[in-house]
Amino acid sequence: MRRSAGALLGLLVLGSVAVFLWSSWEPQRPPEPVRFATVAEPAFDAGGTLADAWADFDGDGDPDRFVGFNGTPSRLYRNDGTAGFTDLAEEVGLGVERSVRTAAWGDYDADGDPDLLLGYAGDAPVTALFRNDGVTFTEVAAEVGLELSEGTTRQASWVDYDADGDLDLFLALRDRENQLFENSGGVFSNVTEETGIGDARRSVGAVWFDVEGDGDLDVYVANMNGDANGMWLQGPEGFVDAAERLGLADGGRALEDEDEGTVRPCAVDFDNDGDLDLFTANYGPNGLLQNPGSDGPWSNVAAEVGLAETSRYDTCAWGDFDHDGSLDLYVNGTITGGRQYRDWLYRREGGPFLNVTPDALDVAADHGATWVDYDLDGDLDLALAGVSDDGMHHLVQNLLRPEYARHHLKVRVVDGRGAATLAGATVRLYAAGTDRLLGTGLVDSGSGYDSQSDLPVHFGLTTGEPVDVEVATPGPGGTVFTRLEDVDPEAFRGRSLEVRVAG
């Protein structure tokens, strides 16, 4: 098992402050001290970072990192384990000097390695697609139908919206209609108009999942500057916005207020009832929209659980960083008008969310946050990026004790060939041989504002006992359920359990 990539600086020991008591969830052990240390990679001190995206681009089993900058050359860091990170961008053809506002990994050609979609600010073209050819990357956007001449991209989602076995592409645009491209044999056609998904509001984020449980994928779109959010439900005739009917239009903040809006939506089963709820990182108070498990309206419970702090937030990242069986939350504030809005790390202990954020974590992070087990020691580390001149793209290592870090399971859901990740699939873990739910996770290939990954779903566990793994995947005839029983998490330490779903 590998440990740190580089020396460690700035050890952080975080305290806890109670916020609200809520829920009947009980921890199965006393709370662990929250300890992180900054990875000492001098290159990570560079600011001006607009996009941060993680994937195992070289297939060696550990996650690598692409970082897009605001006009200076992009970087592709190969993860070399204990030797640290090596920037290969120039060598492999990814050292672009454009202002990179969007970066998203996805295996569009289903050849077993992730390709990279980039969105640029400024002159045309505003999109590029770099095909992973094993040793180098080749730009093929015009060749495959994904080169746009105008538009301001914010979030790209690789997702098989039509369940035909390949990855399509959804683009959230800040200044014009969102776009949906259908993949057919590695060539894309624009199906925005015929599907009805062309939301013209000021979109900056989106998350795809099966909201209705009817076997096809829907998308919740985050909009800014007072615009209502969209909940686009997919049906036989295309997509219909049901946000107002479901109580999801405001996302917990004010509508028709230019100063408020939603930046990133996260789909998360925060209450561990088996269905996915929605958290909205907002300009304004954050929202936590609880899924009723029916066609009725969703309820905003953010104030009840202590997460409705009013500020200007850019992203949300959920993960069980302490492996106590409950999901924790990191949100980062934006930097604008010379002001840095603070970041928060919230932990659940016995139900409430507790603020465990020290002043030492008050870094200039405002563009992207990703939980990633970069060192393969079993626990979730935190990657942060910041666009300001004094920003950075830090990597902060989680120092959870090894006896707790080892209790986890990472699940990678792929197609029957073992190639493209099946974004939108829902993964549930149960205690082996029972119906006792341990956790629910989404295969998410593109909801993060200025952050994205092709990483496996990570589950923190309180013990090393066997589990049953159930994967629900949208399919052409409805939801496809794949179940693996009596899985030993210990057998997958340092690697992922791969679940292949036949198409």
Side-chain angles (χ1 to χ4, degrees):
M1 184 187 307
R2 297 182 302 170
R3 295 299 304 174
S4 139
L8 301 175
L9 296 176
L11 181 63
L12 312 180
V13 180
L14 319 186
S16 296
V17 179
V19 182
F20 287 92
L21 293 175
W22 185 85
S23 165
S24 59
W25 180 87
E26 292 295 338
Q28 299 190 29
R29 66 167 189 261
E32 275 293 291
V34 183
R35 301 187 302 146
F36 290 89
T38 304
V39 177
E41 290 279 352
F44 290 170
D45 290 337
T49 51
L50 285 171
D52 193 12
W54 289 79
D56 181 10
F57 83 89
D58 54 1
D60 66 351
D62 55 24
D64 310 295
R65 183 182 198 183
F66 174 86
V67 180
F69 287 76
N70 189 22
T72 56
S74 298
R75 301 180 186 181
L76 177 65
Y77 293 105
R78 184 184 64 203
N79 187 344
D80 292 325
T82 55
F85 288 82
T86 303
D87 179 13
L88 301 177
E90 291 290 343
E91 179 181 331
V92 302
L94 287 176
V96 297
E97 297 187 29
R98 302 276 313 262
S99 178
V100 179
R101 293 308 310 253
T102 304
W105 294 99
D107 186 7
Y108 85 93
D109 52 3
D111 64 352
D113 53 32
D115 312 294
L116 183 63
L117 187 285
L118 298 183
Y120 302 133
D123 297 333
V126 297
T127 54
L129 177 62
F130 290 88
R131 185 183 64 215
N132 187 341
D133 291 327
V135 178
T136 59
F137 287 80
T138 303
E139 209 288 297
V140 296
E143 176 184 331
V144 303
L146 287 181
E147 185 177 86
L148 298 185
S149 60
E150 57 185 2
T152 303
T153 65
R154 279 298 183 270
Q155 195 59 45
S157 301
W158 290 107
V159 60
D160 184 11
Y161 88 95
D162 53 2
D164 67 350
D166 52 26
L167 287 179
D168 311 299
L169 179 68
F170 175 81
L171 286 177
L173 299 178
R174 187 71 166 82
D175 59 348
R176 63 197 63 233
E177 289 187 346
N178 298 330
Q179 302 290 301
L180 180 62
F181 297 89
E182 184 178 328
N183 187 349
S184 179
V187 177
F188 293 82
S189 56
N190 193 322
V191 295
T192 303
E193 184 174 352
E194 65 191 75
T195 60
I197 203 169
D199 193 338
R201 292 169 291 194
R202 289 161 284 190
S203 301
V204 294
V207 59
W208 287 80
F209 64 110
D210 185 2
V211 176
E212 302 171 287
D214 60 357
D216 54 31
L217 290 177
D218 314 293
V219 58
Y220 185 67
V221 177
N223 296 319
M224 282 294 289
N225 301 99
D227 290 346
N229 297 335
M231 181 70 260
W232 296 89
L233 303 181
Q234 185 175 180
E237 305 302 320
F239 291 86
V240 175
D241 184 7
E244 186 173 353
R245 174 173 63 83
L246 295 177
L248 297 172
D250 61 19
R253 43 76 183 184
L255 295 178
E256 301 181 2
D257 183 338
E258 283 283 332
D259 292 330
E260 299 203 2
T262 299
V263 182
R264 179 181 181 179
C266 287
V268 56
D269 183 15
F270 84 98
D271 50 7
N272 201 36
D273 64 355
D275 54 30
L276 292 170
D277 312 290
L278 283 166
F279 179 87
T280 51
N282 292 333
Y283 278 27
N286 289 329
L288 182 58
L289 308 166
Q290 191 170 31
N291 190 334
S294 65
D295 195 42
W298 296 43
S299 303
N300 183 11
V301 297
E304 296 177 41
V305 301
L307 295 180
E309 183 77 23
T310 297
S311 186
R312 291 192 169 193
Y313 299 101
D314 274 341
T315 199
C316 47
W318 289 80
D320 184 4
F321 74 85
D322 53 1
H323 289 185
D324 67 350
S326 68
L327 290 170
D328 312 296
L329 171 65
Y330 176 87
V331 288
N332 68 352
T334 193
I335 300 174
T336 184
R339 177 178 176 183
Q340 178 179 328
Y341 292 84
R342 66 164 297 172
D343 299 357
W344 299 84
L345 178 63
Y346 293 102
R347 179 166 72 176
R348 295 193 71 183
E349 297 173 13
F353 284 90
L354 310 178
N355 170 25
V356 293
T357 314
D359 292 339
L361 202 59
D362 185 20
V363 295
D366 67 327
H367 276 67
T370 305
W371 290 110
V372 51
D373 182 15
Y374 83 93
D375 52 4
L376 301 185
D377 67 349
D379 55 30
L380 289 171
D381 312 295
L382 187 61
L384 302 172
V387 71
S388 62
D389 291 338
D390 60 344
M392 45 75 232
H393 49 292
H394 282 336
L395 187 56
V396 185
Q397 188 184 37
N398 188 349
L399 300 181
L400 186 65
R401 287 194 290 175
E403 60 266 36
Y404 296 137
R406 64 185 295 177
H407 295 319
H408 68 279
L409 183 66
K410 288 180 279 190
V411 181
R412 185 167 179 82
V413 182
V414 294
D415 61 27
R417 294 166 293 177
T421 300
L422 296 184
T426 302
V427 184
R428 295 181 179 89
L429 254 58
Y430 298 88
T434 75
D435 60 358
R436 181 166 64 88
L437 183 66
L438 301 178
T440 301
L442 175 70
V443 180
D444 181 0
S445 74
S447 72
Y449 178 74
D450 292 324
S451 59
Q452 188 268 355
S453 81
D454 186 39
L455 299 174
V457 180
H458 182 106
F459 292 91
L461 301 170
T462 57
T463 72
E465 296 298 316
V467 298
D468 293 343
V469 180
E470 180 184 84
V471 176
T473 309
T479 303
V480 177
F481 290 94
T482 305
R483 191 176 180 98
L484 302 179
E485 297 183 343
D486 205 30
V487 174
D488 179 10
E490 290 288 322
F492 296 93
R493 289 176 61 192
R495 62 192 181 100
S496 301
L497 166 67
E498 184 176 280
V499 179
R500 295 195 179 191
V501 178

